[in-house]
Amino acid sequence: GWLHVVATDTLTWMGHHAKRGAVAFNELGILGKFKGTLIHDGWKPYRTLDCSHGLCNAHHLRELTYLHEEHKQEWAKDMIDLLTHANSQMQTLLSNHRVGHMRYAYEEILNQAEISNPPAISSGKPGRVKQTKAVNLIRRLREDADDVWRFITDPNIPFTNNLAEQAVRMPK
């Protein structure tokens, strides 16, 4: 089964279900009613929920570290540095100019990443073309950029979903 968790600074809700996705969301009842900002790992079923989304940057940092250390992807180190710097400077970055500068740097790093990691092209066989971990991460960072940066545009949004991760650690 799966342990589902919703956590805030003051409250934690946990529910067990045999399924992980939309069936569990519907039967457990809490996520379908949630109207705040849900910080998550980017798993597609979360996108079916009618709320604001933010992506967990701890997940991104782990994936970026892997790409940098194991595949020598320099752009990944640049992205790690940018995201961790933005997080450490969050209170002073709330001006539009500073946020704009960070977002520009983010786009430039993704441009370099795409040059180094072109997507695989279809062989003509039916189905989706398998992509590398780098291409999948680059695509997520590009397509969901606003959700990656949600923490910087709203000081009440955390950089990570570590609160929920910590709540689930002991029961797990």
Side-chain angles (χ1 to χ4, degrees), residues 6-137:
V6 179
T8 70
D9 289 339
T10 57
L11 298 169
T12 300
W13 174 91
M14 293 185 191
H16 176 267
H17 199 279
K19 303 281 184 182
R20 183 176 179 211
V23 171
F25 299 165
N26 292 335
E27 290 181 11
L28 292 170
I30 195 164
L31 283 177
K33 295 175 181 146
F34 182 72
K35 297 299 177 199
T37 300
L38 183 66
I39 308 301
H40 55 81
D41 61 4
W43 189 51
K44 288 199 186 262
Y46 291 129
R47 294 290 181 185
T48 66
L49 299 169
D50 186 25
C51 62
S52 179
H53 298 270
L55 292 179
C56 174
N57 284 300
H59 283 84
H60 294 142
L61 294 178
R62 282 192 293 272
E63 291 179 82
L64 290 162
T65 298
Y66 169 79
L67 291 173
H68 179 251
E69 291 178 355
E70 299 299 320
H71 295 279
K72 309 303 180 214
Q73 300 259 340
E74 287 305 313
W75 71 269
K77 176 69 168 107
D78 294 340
M79 187 64 78
I80 290 167
D81 292 345
L82 176 65
L83 289 173
T84 55
H85 177 71
N87 187 43
S88 72
Q89 299 295 310
M90 202 214 49
Q91 294 305 320
T92 59
L93 284 174
L94 293 176
S95 77
N96 286 338
H97 174 73
R98 300 222 36 212
V99 171
H101 177 73
M102 289 285 184
R103 288 294 295 264
Y104 177 80
Y106 178 82
E107 294 297 326
E108 288 299 306
I109 293 169
L110 289 177
N111 290 340
Q112 290 302 311
E114 289 171 335
I115 291 168
S116 304
N117 298 279
I121 51 176
S122 175
S123 64
K125 294 180 183 176
R128 206 168 41 146
V129 178
K130 183 176 169 93
Q131 300 293 335
T132 64
K133 289 180 188 279
V135 168
N136 289 333
L137 176 60

Side-chain angles (χ1 to χ4, degrees), residues 133-144:
K133 289 180 188 279
V135 168
N136 289 333
L137 176 60
I138 294 163
R139 187 171 288 151
R140 185 170 66 251
L141 292 172
R142 170 91 61 208
E143 291 174 1
D144 298 323

